[in-house]
């Protein structure tokens, strides 16, 4: 028993659509900006506390690491 491969395209295809190969500049910009914001969110999420610790370690007077991490 051989399986059949369907060549039907999935998704919406409008009357004036030239295909998925040609994207408008606005659509490319939207995808790029969305991707950039997702990456910036991850970098900010995981980088904020280490950045605060590094800035605190380089300040005067020089605190110990436990002084930076303690809530008091």
């Amino acid at each position: 028993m051989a399986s059949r491969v369907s060549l039907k395209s999935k998704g919406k295809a409008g009357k004036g659509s030239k295909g998925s190969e040609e994207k408008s500049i606005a659509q490319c910009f939207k995808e790029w900006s969305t991707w950039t914001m997702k990456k910036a969110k991850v970098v900010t999420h995981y980088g904020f506390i280490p950045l605060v610790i590094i800035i605190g370690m380089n300040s005067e007077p020089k605190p110990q690491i436990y002084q930076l991490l303690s809530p008091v």
Side-chain angles (χ1 to χ4, degrees):
M1 285 193 211
S3 64
R4 291 187 176 181
V5 177
S6 176
L7 297 177
K8 293 181 182 177
S9 66
K10 294 182 180 179
K12 297 179 182 178
K15 288 183 179 179
S17 177
K18 294 184 180 180
S20 63
E21 295 165 3
E22 287 188 32
K23 293 183 180 179
S24 67
I25 293 174
Q27 182 66 25
C28 289
F29 179 75
K30 182 179 178 184
E31 290 176 4
W32 178 83
S33 63
T34 303
W35 179 85
T36 304
M37 290 306 292
K38 285 181 181 179
K39 297 299 179 186
K41 182 180 177 183
V42 171
V43 168
T44 304
H45 180 79
Y46 289 107
F48 181 73
I49 291 178
L51 177 67
V52 169
I53 292 172
I54 290 171
I55 291 173
M57 291 294 288
N58 292 329
S59 65
E60 290 293 330
K62 298 274 186 197
Q64 299 295 322
I65 190 77
Y66 71 87
Q67 291 173 328
L68 288 174
L69 298 177
S70 69
V72 180

